[in-house]
Amino acid sequence: MKSGKNNKTDGKKLLQRPMVRIAGLVALAGVVCGAMLLPKSAAVQAYLTQRKIDAVIADYADKVVLHTLERVVAKNEALNGAVAQLQANPTDAGVEEAAKAWRAARAQWQPIQSFAFGPAAFYDFDKQVASWPIDRPMIEHSIAQIAAGTLAIDSGLLRRKINSTQRGFFTAEHLLFRDGKPRKAAAIRPAELLYLKAVTQAIVEESLDFQASWAGSANLPPAAAARLKAAQLPERPSYAAEFAHPGAPGSRYFSRSVVLQEMFQESHTVVEDVCPLIEQWLGSTDPRDSESQDSRNAASDLVNLLQGVENAYLGGVEGNRGRAMAELVAAKDEVIDRRIRIALADVRYRINAVGDPYGEPAADHELKVRIAAASCWKLANKFAAAIVPVCMDPATEPWAAYVPSTAL
Amino acid sequence: MQWNDQWNSMAGAVWARVFAAALIGLMASAPAAAAGPQTESELLAVLAGKAIEPGLAKAAAASQELAESARSLCKQKNDEALKQTRLAWKQAYLAWRTAQPMMLQGKEYKAEQLLEHWPANEAVMNGATASKELTHLLANPDVRGFAGAEYLLFAPAGVDEATTAGRCDHLQSVVAEIADQAATNQLQWRRQAPAFVAAGDGTPYLLPGDALSLVFARMLNVAERLLRDRICAPSGFFEGKAKTELLEAWRSDASRQSFQASIDGLRRLLLGNGEGAVVDLVAVKDGLVSKRNPQLAEDVRKQLERIDAQLAALKDGNGLRKDLQQDDKVLQPLYKSIEKLQKQIVEASLSLEVDVRGPGETQM
């Protein structure tokens, strides 16, 4: 006790010495100056930027891609379930339920276009699940064969032996809709229902494969993994792992910049694709000019493509968003970020304002289509303006995806 | 070609009448406008009738007055005529500066820039107005425009020097060009005004916001030029040394007034003159993403008052130039205030969800 007291007194005495006080103040000033100057150092700035980009990329893989694919699988399973119900009990209400499930599944599929790189490009999942146009004569031929008992159809056969133009969303649409409305149950032949069920089952399996290719088969829930095995689908490594770790051994991504270029350019490409489609699909009074011609789902298809861009830009679906591309844009130019958000909302509003292109043509229909297309091009411009400052940030180097081996 | 000219002139006259009728209609509906515009279309009508047309008309009239005054000076060659022409130059220049935010001519911007080449090239001016062999040099932009006219009128010590044959010929050529451009601006606007007010019908503006975006882009350009060319360059903020010869209108003792004129032009579009303008719509209109922003509207009003007060504290013309030679930071507070106003204009465009292309964005 006594010794402790003495130490305290000695400490006080020490602090009272002028030289010690001055040294203390100098040290404190050094710490304060260091704390003020450190964030201004280029190296520290680059480090902070890299950390921020890493967080955005990780959340893009997790909350944009993987979360979207989970929802895709869920919506496709719901469609498959509704078709199973319809097959068991073919009523008008059952067709309506299946048609509703089809629209929901289609709406959930469109956002995948904003990450149409990587597995989507390697295995062409959009072609497997949403091939367009479909081969109607061959579909009819297969249905006739089923009816005649010369063809036993199932999802495996569809996926392995039959062209993608005879399955997928638009085949299911063709079997469920006519002139924008669900078909009457009485008009649907039993062989059509058998074919439809095989089609929706194949859609589920392809979308599970898509999910596995990003998540990695080993990372899927056991039930999903078992279904993949049952469908004889291959084991997939996790693309998300290499995507989220650019520059790491095993990653096809050479640098952060290359990953950012994929993210930004794919979204920009979707917007650039949507702009002419607005005029092509909504500007025409003939449903055959759009993909979803039997369900007349063109406006919804376009809005949902842009929903994918919005999800990507804002870091996930509403209610489950993380660090976002928007954050990187705002760090470079807060105004352009806000203009992109406004433009995203504006295009959706303008597409919805066009209304039904196949109903009674409104007097100002053409003007509304032009306005929606112009709004879309404004969004494309804003996106294009944001790409270079973010993807060419020196902290993301090297910028080129491929570099000469001598530079390695 | 002749038929085209005749047709253009007839078409111009028709548009002028349509526009005049529209203006009368607007004036008749003054009580409704007094509440301030509630929609983009109402705002466009108010801006067209109450700000842009009067602003351009005043600039055209003042420039015409300058041209006539210069003609009189060169005939009479007396002190009183010189005094009147100097006054006319000042009025024309200030009216031009006030009208600049209203010049929505887009691609014609280059023609406007040619009249604003500061400072005048004194050596060429003196040589080329004195020697017939050098008169071809008088076509260069650096001896023409407002700076050229100012030099010809304000640099000479007296009327004899100001009205030599060479100077008078050049002065009249320069001020005629200014008057032509100001009249062209007004005529072009009168042709465009019906489409501007009717924006949203697709001919050519698809939306009222598309026409409004021209106003915002123009206001931002004017603010940027104030900052970059008119304050920053003479102050040498980024080069370390003031270049006071770049201060505009110091010879005519109108530098401060010309800053004020630019601010007045911006004020006319932002606040209006009792009839409401941009900020009134900002205060009441919700967008798809942005919410109405009465606070921003109030902030813009206050910022303009702050700038007025800063301008009032400055000396004018040569006095300001001398202050700038002593202290190159004398315009720094004004720079910061205008920069803040520029940011508020950007914020207003975001609030109204009006698209304004930024650097690097391609023309659609």
Side-chain angles (χ1 to χ4, degrees):
Chain A
M1 271 305 267
K2 199 177 176 185
S3 155
K5 206 173 185 179
N6 283 344
N7 284 345
K8 215 173 179 180
T9 316
D10 290 347
K12 265 188 180 175
K13 278 182 183 170
L14 191 68
L15 282 174
Q16 281 165 0
R17 286 184 191 164
M19 285 305 288
V20 174
R21 279 187 171 183
I22 289 166
L25 283 173
V26 168
L28 187 63
V31 170
V32 170
C33 287
M36 285 168 71
L37 291 174
L38 204 58
K40 289 186 178 171
S41 128
V44 172
Q45 282 300 319
Y47 174 80
L48 294 173
T49 303
Q50 286 167 355
R51 294 287 76 77
K52 190 193 289 181
I53 291 169
D54 290 345
V56 169
I57 292 172
D59 277 355
Y60 182 91
D62 187 31
K63 294 185 185 296
V64 176
V65 180
L66 291 173
H67 189 65
T68 299
L69 289 175
E70 268 174 40
R71 288 160 64 111
V72 162
V73 170
K75 294 289 180 190
N76 289 345
E77 282 176 336
L79 168 62
N80 193 33
V83 168
Q85 289 282 326
L86 174 64
Q87 199 180 15
N89 186 19
T91 62
D92 287 346
V95 184
E96 276 168 29
E97 279 305 307
K100 213 165 115 185
W102 182 91
R103 286 194 198 276
R106 173 76 181 145
Q108 189 54 60
W109 181 256
Q110 292 296 73
I112 67 103
Q113 303 296 347
S114 63
F115 48 92
F117 52 84
F122 306 152
Y123 312 119
D124 213 347
F125 286 115
D126 191 50
K127 184 183 161 195
Q128 311 302 335
V129 174
S131 212
W132 187 87
I134 55 170
D135 190 342
R136 288 165 195 243
M138 280 308 294
I139 292 167
E140 281 306 317
H141 176 69
S142 296
I143 290 168
Q145 282 185 307
I146 295 167
T150 56
L151 177 68
I153 192 87
D154 65 21
S155 61
L157 182 81
L158 270 180
R159 285 193 292 103
R160 285 190 290 272
K161 302 277 185 194
I162 294 184
N163 278 346
S164 62
T165 52
Q166 295 166 54
R167 54 191 161 94
F169 274 121
F170 298 109
T171 300
E173 181 207 26
H174 176 63
L175 295 170
L176 283 169
F177 293 89
R178 285 293 181 279
D179 302 326
K181 295 189 179 96
R183 292 169 72 191
K184 292 290 172 199
I188 305 177
R189 291 162 285 163
E192 284 184 285
L193 287 174
L194 280 169
Y195 195 89
L196 175 62
K197 181 66 183 68
V199 166
T200 55
Q201 179 64 34
I203 290 174
V204 169
E205 288 164 4
E206 295 286 7
S207 55
L208 268 169
D209 193 19
F210 195 178
Q211 186 187 17
S213 65
W214 267 91
S217 301
N219 300 321
L220 287 181
R227 283 158 63 206
L228 274 174
K229 202 170 176 184
Q232 298 176 359
L233 287 159
E235 290 274 318
R236 304 279 190 204
S238 166
Y239 193 76
E242 58 177 301
F243 180 82
H245 297 95
S251 174
R252 272 165 277 201
Y253 291 94
F254 201 72
S255 67
R256 292 175 179 87
S257 175
V258 182
V259 177
L260 291 175
Q261 286 172 50
E262 290 265 52
M263 290 159 57
F264 276 87
Q265 286 175 351
E266 207 63 49
S267 284
H268 181 234
T269 300
V270 171
V271 179
E272 282 202 320
D273 287 347
V274 166
C275 301
L277 288 179
I278 290 173
E279 292 193 274
Q280 193 182 323
W281 291 1
L282 305 185
S284 168
T285 52
D286 186 346
R288 285 174 298 182
D289 287 334
S290 72
E291 286 183 349
S292 307
Q293 61 187 63
D294 290 308
S295 60
R296 300 191 176 177
N297 206 48
S300 174
D301 283 351
L302 293 171
V303 166
N304 287 312
L305 280 170
L306 293 168
Q307 185 62 56
V309 175
E310 184 171 304
N311 294 348
Y313 187 69
L314 298 180
V317 297
E318 203 163 357
N320 185 27
R321 285 183 175 148
R323 307 287 294 272
M325 289 157 72
E327 190 183 330
L328 303 179
V329 174
K332 294 289 175 193
D333 186 339
E334 193 204 344
V335 171
I336 198 99
D337 166 50
R338 289 174 65 191
R339 291 205 192 283
I340 288 174
R341 290 167 191 257
I342 290 169
L344 280 164
D346 193 64
V347 191
R348 182 168 38 220
Y349 175 77
R350 303 292 172 195
I351 290 174
N352 288 331
V354 171
D356 179 9
Y358 315 120
E360 194 65 32
D364 55 356
H365 177 77
E366 189 198 333
L367 179 61
K368 284 179 173 174
V369 170
R370 283 171 60 204
I371 289 171
S375 173
C376 184
W377 285 116
K378 283 177 193 163
L379 172 63
N381 269 343
K382 302 290 164 212
F383 238 102
I387 291 174
V388 172
V390 172
C391 299
M392 301 291 116
D393 187 307
T396 69
E397 281 190 278
W399 297 325
Y402 307 102
V403 292
S405 55
T406 50
L408 290 170
Chain B
M1 196 64 188
Q2 262 183 343
W3 163 245
N4 276 347
D5 289 343
Q6 206 175 356
W7 168 250
N8 284 342
S9 139
M10 277 168 60
V14 169
W15 280 123
R17 280 176 200 164
V18 169
F19 189 70
L23 280 182
I24 291 165
L26 275 173
M27 284 169 184
S29 63
Q38 304 290 307
T39 65
E40 287 172 331
S41 294
E42 285 177 19
L43 175 58
L44 290 173
V46 169
L47 293 178
K50 304 283 185 180
I52 301 174
E53 167 61 22
L56 294 175
K58 191 174 176 188
S63 298
Q64 188 58 39
E65 187 70 27
L66 170 62
E68 282 163 19
S69 198
R71 253 195 309 275
S72 294
L73 168 65
C74 291
K75 264 187 198 166
Q76 294 169 15
K77 300 192 176 183
N78 60 37
D79 288 340
E80 181 55 25
L82 178 60
K83 191 179 157 192
Q84 288 304 321
T85 310
R86 284 175 171 174
L87 186 62
W89 181 91
K90 239 186 208 186
Q91 285 171 344
Y93 184 57
L94 296 178
W96 174 272
R97 288 282 294 265
T98 306
Q100 250 176 343
M102 293 121 193
M103 296 176 191
L104 309 178
Q105 67 267 50
K107 287 176 185 167
E108 305 294 328
Y109 183 62
K110 206 170 175 186
E112 174 204 338
Q113 277 188 314
L114 288 175
L115 300 182
E116 296 206 357
H117 194 291
W118 296 85
N121 188 329
E122 298 177 21
V124 172
M125 184 79 87
N126 292 335
T129 52
S131 162
K132 285 195 173 175
E133 289 169 9
L134 297 175
T135 48
H136 62 280
L137 295 176
L138 293 175
N140 291 342
D142 64 355
V143 290
R144 302 189 69 81
F146 282 103
E150 187 202 33
Y151 182 79
L152 290 166
L153 287 168
F154 290 88
V159 70
D160 294 339
E161 194 187 335
T163 55
T164 61
R167 282 180 176 245
C168 256
D169 286 348
H170 187 50
L171 174 66
Q172 289 189 74
S173 162
V174 167
V175 296
E177 188 177 38
I178 291 171
D180 279 352
Q181 186 60 50
T184 302
N185 289 344
Q186 191 188 13
L187 185 64
Q188 278 183 347
W189 163 250
R190 285 184 169 176
R191 286 180 184 152
Q192 294 164 6
F196 180 86
V197 174
D201 65 359
T203 56
Y205 303 108
L206 292 171
L207 295 166
D210 291 346
L212 204 48
S213 79
L214 296 180
V215 177
F216 274 99
R218 186 65 182 160
M219 287 195 290
L220 291 170
N221 284 342
V222 166
E224 184 60 25
R225 282 201 65 199
L226 270 173
L227 295 171
R228 187 192 62 193
D229 300 342
R230 297 185 156 130
I231 297 177
C232 195
S235 303
F237 285 154
F238 299 112
E239 289 167 25
K241 197 179 171 196
K243 291 180 179 171
T244 58
E245 68 278 13
L246 296 177
L247 185 68
E248 294 177 16
W250 65 267
R251 285 181 200 283
S252 54
D253 224 16
S255 305
R256 187 188 61 77
Q257 292 171 71
S258 63
F259 286 133
Q260 184 70 61
S262 289
I263 296 300
D264 287 346
L266 292 171
R267 175 187 283 105
R268 200 64 195 265
L269 295 170
L270 289 165
L271 305 186
N273 193 18
E275 68 282 353
V278 168
V279 299
D280 297 276
L281 191 59
V282 168
V284 297
K285 185 177 174 283
D286 287 327
L288 292 169
V289 174
S290 311
K291 296 287 168 213
R292 67 188 68 187
N293 195 341
Q295 184 59 51
L296 175 62
E298 192 50 34
D299 289 347
V300 170
R301 281 180 215 284
K302 284 184 183 160
Q303 191 62 18
L304 284 164
E305 284 169 13
R306 194 171 292 125
I307 292 170
D308 284 346
Q310 285 173 336
L311 282 168
L314 291 174
K315 291 180 189 154
D316 215 333
N318 205 27
L320 178 58
R321 187 174 174 236
K322 282 178 182 163
D323 282 353
L324 205 50
Q325 282 165 345
Q326 298 291 318
D327 174 12
D328 59 11
K329 291 188 173 52
V330 72
L331 289 174
Q332 208 169 50
L334 181 65
Y335 182 95
K336 285 182 178 168
S337 292
I338 294 174
E339 192 177 37
K340 187 169 177 185
L341 178 68
Q342 191 184 34
K343 285 179 182 163
Q344 288 171 333
I345 295 170
V346 170
E347 191 60 39
S349 75
L350 289 163
S351 177
L352 293 177
E353 299 185 348
V354 169
D355 183 48
V356 181
R357 276 202 318 278
E361 287 183 57
T362 51
Q363 177 87 36
M364 276 177 53

